[in-house]
Amino acid sequence: MADTTAYSTLLSQARAGEVYLNDEAAAYHMFKACDQRLTDLDKILITSQRAQNVSGFGDFDIARQLEAKFRAQAGNDPNSIYEVILKDIEAVKQLREVFSISFKRIAGKDIENANALDYVTEQVS
């Protein structure tokens, strides 16, 4: 996405080292929350794609117009639910990267390599 958003600006600042979350546990858990949100959004995206298959309103012209209207709201329109979900996915990916950068800056390792068991064990010791 080429549009500049608050999330893309925050990500640029994180990449430049200007901002980061300075709490290792918070960065870790926020990264994991972003992963879960992406999983949830993917499921919603699939459902929204199914909503684009609109039919059953009848053979009248008004029925076809109504189908077209619902189809546009589901996926053909720039403000359709499908497009809104895609924008949300992009925002969550950008936030997840901010938390990943923060974790790496604090812990000195990639968050993908810090599995939950290792993380909990380190915190208890």
Side-chain angles (χ1 to χ4, degrees):
M1 304 222 135
D3 295 336
T4 301
T5 65
Y7 303 112
S8 62
T9 301
L10 182 62
L11 179 55
S12 295
Q13 292 171 329
R15 286 178 177 158
E18 297 170 4
V19 298
Y20 64 94
L21 185 61
N22 65 357
D23 184 304
E24 180 181 350
Y28 179 82
H29 291 294
M30 292 303 295
F31 180 88
K32 292 300 182 183
C34 286
D35 273 348
Q36 181 59 53
R37 182 67 180 148
L38 286 171
T39 298
D40 296 343
L41 286 171
D42 284 338
K43 291 176 185 176
I44 295 170
L45 190 65
I46 290 168
T47 301
S48 75
Q49 289 171 323
R50 289 186 198 138
Q52 295 175 30
N53 298 322
V54 178
S55 64
F57 288 98
D59 294 331
F60 297 105
D61 284 336
I62 191 76
R64 286 190 283 282
Q65 291 172 12
L66 187 58
E67 286 175 5
K69 182 78 169 167
F70 278 108
R71 196 173 295 106
Q73 289 177 341
N76 297 335
D77 189 67
N79 291 321
S80 68
I81 189 67
Y82 182 79
E83 292 298 322
V84 169
I85 294 168
L86 287 178
K87 288 176 187 174
D88 285 353
I89 288 172
E90 184 61 28
V92 173
K93 285 180 179 179
Q94 291 171 345
L95 284 174
R96 183 177 67 169
E97 189 173 342
V98 168
F99 298 127
S100 177
I101 290 168
S102 297
F103 187 85
K104 186 173 185 175
R105 187 163 283 130
I106 297 167
K109 60 182 175 179
D110 290 330
I111 202 164
E112 290 85 3
N113 295 330
N115 76 39
L117 184 58
D118 287 344
Y119 181 77
V120 171
T121 303
E122 289 174 17
Q123 298 303 309
V124 173
S125 324

